[in-house]
């Protein structure tokens, strides 16, 4: 069994080791006797998303988000919307997450019109939201706790067409006000979590793999892995954040 994974805009959207998420997904497949085929689609790529099982989009600064706009609106926007409606699994982090919404207006009033695949929009503020943080995923997604690192000016507001990915336990999440973090729509998982997030959140990594495998072959039995180190890293970050909060 092989999953085709696309790293979209690796040239401009790839902050704080975001690309490590792909290495994590690939290894977790290989450890279970499966394979991953990685296709990178930078600005200017004419490669199509047809046949792709999982799309990863990392974070980027305001500048990079503006740089990619021309390419995005040369057809990639329509293709992404269609892939999302078709149930392709997507993990989108921070700037990449904002890109799936309607628009991002920077703190100094520059507007990036994005793709509107998810019912959300983002407006920047001068004060950035920075730090390690954690959130609890919705019960429908398994209710696992996720730890990550956030650094964003954008405040994201969700419309009624999407669900939050989870509830903030420590840190800011979508906007620092309503305790929501990220968004979940069909098989799209949008989050502010950099880090990279997946190595220290193995249950969340497997949620993505299971989602993509189920769509590809109808069912997915993921053999358990020895995640002792990953779980230790996860528990250490949870404990640190609990201590800071106390
Ligand atoms: N430029 C966006 C913001 O500051 C995204 C930042 C990021 O991806 N870390 O909100």
């Amino acid at each position: 069994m092989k999953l085709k994974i696309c790293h979209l805009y690796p040239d401009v959207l790839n902050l704080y080791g975001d690309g490590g998420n792909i290495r994590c997904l690939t290894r977790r497949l290989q450890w279970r006797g499966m394979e991953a085929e990685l296709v990178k689609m930078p600005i200017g790529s004419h490669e199509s998303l047809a046949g792709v099982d999982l799309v990863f989009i990392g974070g980027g600064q305001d500048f990079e988000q503006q740089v990619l706009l021309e390419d995005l609106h040369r057809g990639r926007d329509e293709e992404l919307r269609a892939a999302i409606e078709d149930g392709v699994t997507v993990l989108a982090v921070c700037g990449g997450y904002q890109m799936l919404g309607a628009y991002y207006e920077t703190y100094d009033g520059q507007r990036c019109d994005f793709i509107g695949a998810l019912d959300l929009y983002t407006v920047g503020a001068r004060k950035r939201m920075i730090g390690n943080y954690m959130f609890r995923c919705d019960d429908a997604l398994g209710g696992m706790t996720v730890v990550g690192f956030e650094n964003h000016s954008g405040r994201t507001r969700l419309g009624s067409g999407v669900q939050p990915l989870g509830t903030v336990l420590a840190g800011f999440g979508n906007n620092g006000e309503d305790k929501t973090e990220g968004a979940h729509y069909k098989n799209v998982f949008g989050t502010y979590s950099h880090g990279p997030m997946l190595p220290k959140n193995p249950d969340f990594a497997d949620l993505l793999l299971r989602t993509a495998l189920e769509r590809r072959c109808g069912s997915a039995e993921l053999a358990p892995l020895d995640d002792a180190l990953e779980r230790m890293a996860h528990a250490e970050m949870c404990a640190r954040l609990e201590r800071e909060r106390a």
Side-chain angles (χ1 to χ4, degrees):
M1 173 52 56
K2 189 199 272 185
L3 282 187
K4 190 167 173 182
I5 299 178
C6 160
H7 191 172
L8 186 60
Y9 297 136
D11 46 345
V12 281
L13 296 183
N14 192 2
L15 277 178
Y16 308 119
D18 281 339
N21 289 318
I22 290 183
R23 292 169 74 173
C24 175
L25 291 169
T26 302
R27 295 298 282 171
R28 294 185 76 79
L29 283 171
Q30 289 169 344
W31 285 330
R32 292 166 163 130
M34 294 181 270
E35 282 175 68
E37 178 190 341
L38 174 62
V39 196
K40 292 188 180 182
M41 300 189 192
I43 287 178
S45 163
H46 295 295
E47 193 99 38
S48 133
L49 285 176
V52 166
D53 299 296
L54 197 154
V55 177
F56 173 70
I57 318 171
Q61 299 170 46
D62 296 3
F63 175 73
E64 278 91 26
Q65 287 176 296
Q66 287 161 14
V67 163
L68 63 79
L69 280 179
E70 202 184 317
D71 188 89
L72 186 66
H73 293 304
R74 229 183 278 133
R76 198 58 95 186
D77 47 357
E78 220 166 279
E79 210 192 5
L80 263 173
R81 281 193 296 267
I84 286 170
E85 289 304 310
D86 198 29
V88 170
T89 302
V90 179
L91 172 64
V93 175
C94 201
Y97 161 45
Q98 296 170 353
M99 194 188 86
L100 300 182
Y103 65 87
Y104 171 43
E105 193 177 306
T106 63
Y107 73 93
D108 56 357
Q110 295 185 55
R111 186 173 158 122
C112 301
D113 281 317
F114 283 144
I115 74 167
L118 267 58
D119 184 11
L120 56 90
Y121 66 92
T122 305
V123 178
R126 197 169 281 277
K127 192 170 175 339
R128 300 187 69 82
M129 299 190 279
I130 307 175
N132 292 309
Y133 79 125
M134 65 176 167
F135 60 95
R136 185 181 181 281
C137 284
D138 273 6
D139 285 338
L141 297 174
M144 78 274 285
T145 299
V146 172
V147 291
F149 171 76
E150 59 182 332
N151 181 355
H152 50 114
S153 146
R155 273 73 173 155
T156 297
R157 305 279 169 187
L158 305 182
S160 56
V162 289
Q163 294 297 316
L165 183 59
T167 306
V168 175
L169 300 173
F172 301 97
N174 277 335
N175 50 56
E177 286 170 14
D178 64 13
K179 293 273 175 206
T180 65
E181 154 59 18
H184 179 223
Y185 172 72
K186 292 192 178 249
N187 290 335
V188 181
F189 303 84
T191 177
Y192 272 107
S193 182
H194 288 285
M197 73 177 302
L198 296 181
K200 58 191 174 196
N201 295 290
D203 292 334
F204 193 77
D206 281 353
L207 170 67
L208 295 177
L209 291 178
R210 200 173 303 112
T211 305
L213 285 164
E214 270 170 8
R215 177 173 174 272
R216 169 136 300 260
C217 41
S219 69
E221 273 305 310
L222 288 182
L225 298 174
D226 176 5
D227 285 328
L229 277 175
E230 289 83 348
R231 290 190 193 286
M232 240 151 64
H234 179 92
E236 171 57 27
M237 277 315 301
C238 288
R240 249 167 80 173
L241 287 162
E242 288 291 357
R243 276 199 302 273
E244 281 167 22
R245 201 167 52 162

